[in-house]
Amino acid sequence: MSRNSSLVLNNAMETIQWFVFLLANAVALPIVIGAIFELNFVEISELMQRTFFVVGLASLLQGWIGHRLPIMEGPAGLWISIFTVMAYTGVHAGDSYREVLQVLQGTMIWTGIFLLLFGLFRLSHRVLFVFTPFVTGAFLFLLTVQLSGTFLQGMLGIDGGEQQIESTGAIIAFVTVLLVLGLSIAGRGWVKSFAVLIGIVMGWVLYVIVAGGGSGGGQAGGGFSLPEVFAWGAPVFSLNTIPLAFMIAVILLSNLVASVVAVTETIHGKATYTYAQINRGSSFMGINHGLAALFSSIANVSMASSSGFMQLTGQKRKAPFLYAAALLILVSFFPPIVAFISGIPKPVANAALLATFIQLMGLGLSNMTSERLDERRLMILGISFSIGIGLMFLPSSVFAGMPAMAQNLLSNGLLVGTILVILLDQLWKESNRTA
C-alpha cells in the first residue's frame, strides 16, 4: 500500500471514529429527554434527527470558525438537569409538557444572547481570572460526578423508568468499558488509536448475539427529510428565566474554558489559548444555543470529554473531526439511517462515554492538585463538593414549595457546586495571603 493510500485510509478511520464518538454523545440524551417529557416513538426519532443535525453543525462551526479546536459540541449535562427540573416545576405549576418545552426554548435563546454578547463585547476573557486551574479542575470533577451517574444508569439498564438492573446489558456494558480502556492502555498502533470505535462495534455485535437486538431503533418513514423548525412550537420568553439564563451562561463559560484547557493540554502538553479564542468560542456557543432552540433540541456546549477521547485514542488532528461533524449533518437528513444508528444499544453507548469520562476525572484531579492543596483550598473543595454533590442526590420534589427560580438553582448540584467554588475562591483571599 502506497503512502498516500495509507494516509487516506488513516484519515477515513479517524473520521469514522470521531463520527462514532459524536454519535455516542448524541444518541442517548434524546431518549432520556423523551422519557422525561413523555414523547412517543415518532417524536423521539424526530428529536434524534434534530439533535444529530445541531450537534454536527455546532461542532463544525466551533472547530472551523469559533475556538478552532477539535472539541465536540454536545448536549450539555447542565442543560439536561435544567430540562429535568423545569419539567417537574412546570407541570407542578399546571403547565403541560409542551408548554414547558416552549419555555425551555426561550431560556436557551436568553442564554445564547448572553453568551453572544460576552463574546462580541470581549467580556469573556475578562472573567478568565476566575477560572484558575483549581476552579476548572473542580468543575471537571463535578461534571464527571454528575454525568457518571447518568452513564452508569444507562449501562445498567435502569434509565427510562426501569428500576431493576438488566443483567445481560450490564455485563456487556462493563465488558465494553474494560475493552476500551484495555486497548487504550495496552494497545499498539492503530489498535490503540481506534480503541473507542473497536469497543463500540464489538460491544454492539456482542449485544446483538447475546441479547438479540439493539436499543430499539425501529423504522423511520421517508428517505430524506430536513430537521423541523420549532417542532415544540414557538419559544416562550419568560422574564422569570432571565436570571437563570445569565447564571447558566456564566457557568458555561467555565465549561468552555475547562474544555479548551483540557484539549490544549492533551494536544500540546500544556494549556495554551488566546483571549480572542475564548471570545470567539463564547460567541459561537451563543449562536449554537440559538440553533438548538430553533431546531427544538438540547443546547450544546463544548464537551471536555473530547480530551478523554484524545487521550484514549491518540487522535489530535482537527481535519478528521471536521469531516466527522459534516458527516453527522449529512446523516441527519436521512431518517432511516438515523433510526439504524439509534439502534446502538444504550448500555454500549453509555459504556463508551464512561470510559472517556474516566480520563476526564483524572484531568480534573490533576488540575485541582497543580497547586498545593493547602487548608484554604481543601476547605473550599469540602464545602462546595459536599453541598453540590449532596444536591445531586435530592429529588426535585423537595424544593416544590420554593419559587421557581430557587427550584431551578437548588435542584442543580453542578450549578451550585461550581458557583460555590468560584465565589469562595475569589472571596477567601486574605486567608490565602496570610497562610
Side-chain angles (χ1 to χ4, degrees), residues 172 176 179 183 197-207:
I172 294 173
T176 302
L179 181 61
L183 292 177
L197 177 60
I198 294 170
I200 289 180
V201 170
M202 293 190 68
W204 193 349
V205 170
L206 184 61
Y207 194 94

Side-chain angles (χ1 to χ4, degrees), residues 19 23-24 26-31 41-52 204 207 213-220 328 331 334-350:
F19 177 74
L23 285 177
V27 74
L29 295 182
I31 298 173
F41 172 76
V42 174
E43 290 171 324
I44 292 176
S45 297
E46 292 172 347
L47 174 59
M48 190 85 69
Q49 179 195 23
R50 299 193 301 272
T51 300
F52 286 1
W204 193 349
Y207 194 94
S215 59
Q219 298 296 320
L328 187 59
V331 164
F334 298 92
I337 301 178
V338 173
F340 172 75
I341 291 172
S342 67
I344 295 177
K346 285 183 286 184
V348 173
N350 281 281

Side-chain angles (χ1 to χ4, degrees), residues 166-367:
E166 201 279 291
S167 57
T168 301
I171 293 172
I172 294 173
F174 281 103
V175 169
T176 302
V177 170
L178 293 175
L179 181 61
V180 172
L181 293 177
L183 292 177
S184 68
I185 295 171
R188 295 290 183 270
W190 68 270
V191 173
K192 178 181 178 69
S193 297
F194 302 109
V196 175
L197 177 60
I198 294 170
I200 289 180
V201 170
M202 293 190 68
W204 193 349
V205 170
L206 184 61
Y207 194 94
V208 170
I209 293 173
V210 176
S215 59
Q219 298 296 320
F224 178 90
S225 71
L226 296 175
E228 185 179 356
V229 173
F230 291 135
W232 296 329
V236 174
F237 296 96
S238 172
L239 296 179
N240 293 331
T241 62
I242 292 179
L244 176 64
F246 179 79
M247 283 191 293
I248 294 173
V250 173
I251 297 302
L252 290 184
L253 279 181
S254 71
N255 190 110
L256 173 63
V257 174
S259 299
V260 170
V261 167
V263 168
T264 54
E265 280 186 358
T266 300
I267 295 175
H268 304 295
K270 62 179 181 179
T272 56
Y273 57 84
T274 65
Y275 291 162
Q277 190 175 27
I278 297 299
N279 286 320
R280 288 197 311 269
S282 178
S283 295
F284 275 89
M285 190 184 293
I287 292 171
N288 291 339
H289 270 64
L291 289 172
L294 178 66
F295 290 100
S296 300
S297 183
I298 309 159
N300 294 298
V301 297
S302 300
M303 304 291 286
S305 57
S306 300
S307 67
F309 170 82
M310 292 178 180
Q311 291 178 36
L312 282 173
T313 63
Q315 292 183 198
K316 302 176 182 179
R317 297 188 304 129
K318 187 169 71 172
F321 166 77
L322 296 179
Y323 297 151
L327 180 60
L328 187 59
I329 296 173
L330 180 63
V331 164
S332 72
F333 297 147
F334 298 92
I337 301 178
V338 173
F340 172 75
I341 291 172
S342 67
I344 295 177
K346 285 183 286 184
V348 173
N350 281 281
L353 293 177
L354 185 67
T356 62
F357 266 74
I358 290 172
Q359 300 288 330
L360 190 63
M361 172 70 83
L363 185 60
L365 293 172
S366 177
N367 271 273

Side-chain angles (χ1 to χ4, degrees), residues 87-133:
Y88 173 80
T89 57
V91 172
H92 183 76
D95 297 330
S96 67
Y97 281 131
R98 179 57 63 95
E99 290 170 329
V100 173
L101 289 170
Q102 291 170 349
V103 172
L104 279 163
Q105 286 180 154
T107 307
M108 286 189 285
I109 293 174
W110 283 129
T111 305
I113 290 172
F114 284 125
L115 288 167
L116 180 61
L117 293 176
F118 288 160
L120 290 178
F121 290 98
R122 300 179 182 179
L123 299 174
S124 301
H125 75 270
R126 297 187 184 279
V127 297
L128 285 181
F129 72 93
V130 171
F131 305 121
T132 62

